[in-house]
Amino acid sequence: LRLGDRSVIMAALVLDDLVLSASRRPELLDSEIELCWVQSADLEFDKHKGETWRNGTLAVTSHRLLWLKPEHDSDHQTTSSAPARDCSLPLSSVKGHRGVNSFFKKTPRVILSVWRSAEGRPACAEEAQAEELDEVSVALRGPSGSYDTMEKNLTLALSRQEWKRAPVRKTGLTVGETYALATERQRGATSSAKVGASAAGIGGLVRKQREDNLRADKSIDGAFKDLAALMDKAREMVDLSAKLKEALRENAESADDTNDEDKGIEKFLLTLGITSVVTKTTAGSMFHQQLSQQLSDFLEEPLKKSSGALALVDVYCIFNRARGIELVSPEDLIEAATLFPKIGAGMRLRKFESGTLAIQSSEHSDEALYEKLEAMAQEGGKPVGIGPDDVAGGLDIPLILAREYLLMAEQDQVLCRDDGPDGLRFYRNFFRDLFEY
């Protein structure tokens, strides 16, 4: 459980501050996976009437229940004297839950029974005081289907109890072998079913339906176990990449100069390791916003290593490589990039005259770029022609962006071109020095 510098005290229950990234994405615990996101969710502390945090965003993960307050103060309302904050509730402290969703209830709710320690913090049953329980209601005022989405995923998380599991489990079987074994057992159970007098009549049909439902539940459970094996393997690879990155950083600090091979490996490792990818299934109607936030967090290090700019085609490749099998479409990637200003990300999507798309850091400056290009176009005070290859190597940027920068500098009269026997070269525009205007 991650504790912030401050704790949020509401009623008798102390909820922990939720640590967020620069794009307001929650920082997940080890092996924690997002299951679903729900908009317009209120937290109601039922034992203390009138205390409610309104209009937040709720997330159910494999380990916790996360609540994010609205980004704009005008959207935030609270009936408590204490201001609402981004907070989290560990699922290990939830004794049980019940749903209230009927035609006569305008707002569906999920009511959680939470174990509380002597200090008033959420605790597991072993640490909690005897019969010390608090109730927290989650009122779902968002789109239709929010109740079913949350209730289904909350039930799944509570039943699986991922927080009790080791980070990586090794069964000795591959995912395919595990699935084949489960399928074989299922066939054996079906073939061994006995047929007798009890299977006749309406009572027999009812019993058969119950057996079918039980087999379906077992099949679903087997599928989730198979998925967990795949997720565990992904976590293992992420841990490996993190260790290699740390080793490379230590090597770079201890050595005077890191060779090109190590730099290439480090760049590759920077594109690995999204343990909980945003999908349309988990994020729902918030998919593009959540994808934009995850993308901006992911691109912070690659942008630093690429002089503050990356071609969108390169972003598409490295981002999908990090997402594994959950690939994102080009259309969704562009839509997510266009939301950078809305979420306050430190980067933006830029379209050049030729139609080339790139993502640039907010710290990128065309004037600073022009100064670098002018310096490259002079050597010992003498003019030197430069081409896309020279700029790409000198600034450590993709060739496609180097060409766009040269054309952009020519349009702004910083450079001028010479299309001669040696090909297209760009020189410093000395005509600006002759004609001041």
Side-chain angles (χ1 to χ4, degrees):
L1 188 65
R2 188 188 297 272
L3 298 178
D5 295 333
R6 296 177 297 178
S7 291
V8 182
I9 302 181
M10 285 296 297
L13 196 63
V14 181
L15 301 182
D16 298 299
D17 283 346
L18 179 62
V19 181
L20 302 178
S21 68
S23 65
R24 288 188 56 80
R25 281 273 300 169
E27 292 189 8
L28 301 179
L29 307 177
D30 292 340
S31 302
E32 186 176 16
I33 302 295
E34 301 164 47
L35 299 179
C36 72
W37 285 83
V38 178
Q39 288 179 301
S40 302
D42 299 348
L43 290 186
E44 302 172 344
F45 298 83
D46 293 345
K47 282 191 175 181
H48 299 260
K49 300 296 184 182
E51 295 194 352
T52 303
W53 295 349
R54 299 189 185 280
N55 203 28
T57 303
L58 185 81
V60 179
T61 75
S62 56
H63 291 61
R64 297 179 295 173
L65 196 69
L66 314 179
W67 190 84
L68 283 69
K69 68 177 183 178
E71 295 185 42
H72 305 291
D73 293 336
S74 59
D75 297 334
H76 173 227
Q77 299 176 3
T78 178
T79 58
S80 169
S81 57
R85 299 187 185 277
D86 306 311
C87 58
S88 65
L89 175 68
L91 295 182
S92 59
S93 66
V94 177
K95 179 184 179 183
H97 73 285
R98 67 182 189 275
V100 179
N101 184 28
S102 67
F103 177 78
F104 301 100
K105 295 288 185 180
K106 184 177 180 181
T107 303
R109 285 172 169 78
V110 176
I111 302 174
L112 307 172
S113 297
V114 182
W115 292 108
R116 187 182 69 244
S117 66
E119 293 79 17
R121 295 182 176 278
C124 60
E126 292 77 11
E127 299 173 352
Q129 294 284 326
E131 300 302 325
E132 283 293 327
L133 292 172
D134 259 333
E135 281 194 348
V136 179
S137 297
V138 181
L140 303 168
R141 307 181 186 276
S144 60
S146 298
Y147 171 83
D148 294 334
T149 299
M150 178 190 172
E151 203 279 334
K152 178 183 68 175
N153 286 281
L154 180 61
T155 301
L156 172 64
L158 291 174
S159 64
R160 289 184 56 79
Q161 298 185 347
E162 288 287 343
W163 55 88
K164 292 184 178 180
R165 300 172 186 248
V168 177
R169 295 178 301 159
K170 296 184 179 180
T171 62
L173 296 177
T174 65
V175 174
E177 291 171 341
T178 305
Y179 177 76
L181 180 60
T183 304
E184 188 64 29
R185 289 177 179 174
Q186 175 66 24
R187 291 175 179 173
T190 303
S191 62
S192 62
K194 295 182 179 180
V195 179
S198 61
I202 296 178
L205 292 175
V206 172
R207 280 189 290 274
K208 185 176 183 302
Q209 183 64 44
R210 289 176 180 172
E211 292 172 358
D212 290 342
N213 291 340
L214 181 60
R215 283 195 294 270
D217 290 341
K218 290 182 179 179
S219 297
I220 293 173
D221 185 59
F224 277 119
K225 288 180 180 178
D226 192 56
L227 179 61
L230 182 62
M231 290 163 55
D232 290 340
K233 184 60 65 176
R235 296 187 192 118
E236 189 176 355
M237 293 303 299
V238 170
D239 292 340
L240 176 61
S241 67
K243 292 177 181 178
L244 289 174
K245 280 195 292 185
E246 186 62 28
L248 283 173
R249 288 195 180 96
E250 292 178 357
N251 181 52
E253 292 175 359
S254 60
D256 295 333
D257 188 23
T258 305
N259 59 44
D260 294 337
E261 183 179 356
D262 284 347
K263 289 181 179 179
I265 294 175
E266 184 177 1
K267 277 190 175 183
F268 173 75
L269 291 174
L270 286 172
T271 66
L272 298 176
I274 300 180
T275 56
S276 181
V277 298
V278 173
T279 66
K280 292 182 179 179
T281 302
T282 58
S285 60
M286 301 177 62
F287 172 67
H288 287 111
Q289 177 183 337
Q290 291 292 325
L291 183 66
S292 179
Q293 292 174 330
Q294 188 170 74
L295 179 62
S296 65
D297 290 339
F298 172 79
L299 289 178
E300 284 185 5
E301 287 297 324
L303 281 176
K304 292 178 182 178
K305 299 292 183 178
S306 302
S307 301
L310 282 169
L312 193 63
V313 64
D314 294 331
V315 172
Y316 176 80
C317 292
I318 63 175
F319 189 51
N320 272 324
R321 183 167 58 190
R323 287 174 63 89
I325 61 174
E326 294 288 350
L327 303 182
V328 63
S329 69
E331 293 80 10
D332 288 333
L333 184 68
I334 293 175
E335 180 67 24
T338 58
L339 294 177
F340 284 157
K342 180 179 179 181
I343 66 172
M347 59 195 70
R348 64 189 178 99
L349 178 66
R350 181 169 186 175
K351 185 175 183 179
F352 293 95
E353 290 275 337
S354 64
T356 300
L357 294 175
I359 292 180
Q360 288 184 336
S361 170
S362 299
E363 299 176 355
H364 175 86
S365 168
D366 288 347
E367 288 72 20
L369 171 66
Y370 293 159
E371 291 180 2
K372 294 179 181 179
L373 294 178
E374 284 187 301
M376 293 177 63
Q378 295 184 84
E379 187 175 313
K382 296 181 179 180
V384 177
I386 58 176
D389 292 339
D390 304 306
V391 175
L395 300 182
D396 194 19
I397 59 175
L399 190 64
I400 187 174
L401 284 185
R403 181 177 181 275
E404 294 295 340
Y405 286 165
L406 288 172
L407 296 176
M408 190 172 65
E410 179 192 25
Q411 184 178 8
D412 290 343
Q413 301 180 4
V414 176
L415 302 177
C416 58
R417 69 169 64 197
D418 177 34
D419 198 352
D422 296 334
L424 181 61
R425 311 293 290 176
F426 289 84
Y427 293 83
R428 181 177 176 274
N429 186 11
F430 64 89
F431 293 106
R432 289 195 309 170
D433 302 332
L434 298 178
F435 304 98
E436 294 290 339
Y437 56 112

